[in-house]
Amino acid sequence: MADAEEETMEQRRAPHISAGSGPDTNPIGVVAYDDGLVRDALMAQCAADLATSGYRLGGIVQSNPHREGRRRCDMYVKDLLGGDEVKISQDRGNEARGCRLDQDAFARIDAWIERAVLEHVDLLIINKFGREEAQGRGLRAVIAEALIADIPVIIGVSSQNLADFLAFAGDSATRLSPDTEAMTAWCRNAIKRRAQDQCEQGLPPVGA
């Protein structure tokens, strides 16, 4: 989502997440970062690489185009499943202080991710576990819902929120290097493991 000091979302309670059995089988890949713009670029490139391979993705990625004469970037979030994009920043001028997010956009984002979980996408990409999620709100519940549905999740977490994220995820998370090659490799393996598990359990392929 947007930067921590700017985000706010409706309160939601997260169901319990069971721990993974090891780093090679954990259902969450976490990318820790200090620079939010770098995070957004990495997540977007990872999503693009996976989409090129034909995977069915859900979740969101963020872009931050800069406009000449503005001190701060515009912020857009894209729905990876449906392809829609929404601007989440409001243009309040260079001298504006406080939150500049469009709160109406967040209801749409929440619905996008809920739909992705219900449609059992191959992988869920969440660009940020931020302050709201650290406090038990925001997208925390739907992330847990994805894991309960056996959908692997890759997520960005700022260094300042990492302890709260690990308290939430427990042993379910594998920390990934902040580069697209490592991120994409983990995602491919997670999707493959899920397909193998489905086959071993005699279940129909995901999406069937």
Side-chain angles (χ1 to χ4, degrees):
M1 307 301 296
D3 286 345
E5 65 271 19
E6 295 183 318
E7 62 181 349
T8 180
M9 300 187 69
E10 65 184 78
Q11 183 168 353
R12 308 180 64 173
R13 296 180 65 86
H16 174 71
I17 301 175
S18 60
S21 59
D24 293 334
T25 58
N26 283 342
I28 311 176
V30 55
V31 181
Y33 65 87
D34 294 310
D35 187 326
L37 295 178
V38 171
R39 168 208 70 209
D40 291 333
L42 287 170
M43 288 292 184
Q45 185 59 57
C46 178
D49 291 347
L50 293 168
T52 299
S53 298
Y55 295 116
R56 191 164 181 257
L57 306 175
I60 53 173
V61 292
Q62 182 172 322
S63 59
N64 308 282
H66 177 75
R67 282 194 294 155
E68 187 175 355
R70 294 295 185 193
R71 291 192 298 110
R72 306 174 79 178
C73 298
D74 291 332
M75 296 183 290
Y76 291 84
V77 169
K78 182 178 180 180
D79 174 18
L80 292 172
L81 180 59
D84 293 337
E85 188 172 54
V86 62
K87 185 178 180 181
I88 61 172
S89 59
Q90 297 176 320
D91 188 354
R92 299 173 55 218
N94 283 336
E95 303 307 316
R97 294 292 183 269
C99 180
R100 65 188 181 107
L101 295 183
D102 181 354
Q103 301 304 325
D104 291 338
F106 286 96
R108 294 179 61 186
I109 294 168
D110 202 46
W112 288 346
I113 299 174
E114 288 277 9
R115 177 192 169 199
V117 173
L118 289 173
E119 296 196 13
H120 296 278
V121 293
D122 295 327
L123 177 86
L124 192 67
I125 296 178
I126 304 292
N127 72 309
K128 183 172 185 178
F129 180 100
R131 183 177 62 186
E132 288 294 304
E133 287 74 25
Q135 294 176 352
R137 302 187 292 268
L139 297 176
R140 187 173 174 130
V142 77
I143 294 168
E145 289 167 13
L147 298 171
I148 290 169
D150 283 334
I151 300 172
V153 178
I154 184 170
I155 189 167
V157 182
S158 70
S159 298
Q160 66 184 20
N161 292 319
L162 186 58
D164 288 316
F165 171 79
L166 293 176
F168 164 67
D171 294 331
S172 298
T174 296
R175 188 162 177 175
L176 306 176
S177 299
D179 66 78
T180 53
E181 184 175 347
M183 293 161 61
T184 303
W186 182 89
C187 291
R188 292 178 189 277
N189 288 334
I191 294 169
K192 182 179 179 181
R193 287 196 306 270
R194 183 190 183 200
Q196 290 174 337
D197 289 344
Q198 294 279 337
C199 182
E200 290 172 1
Q201 295 172 33
L203 299 174
V206 173

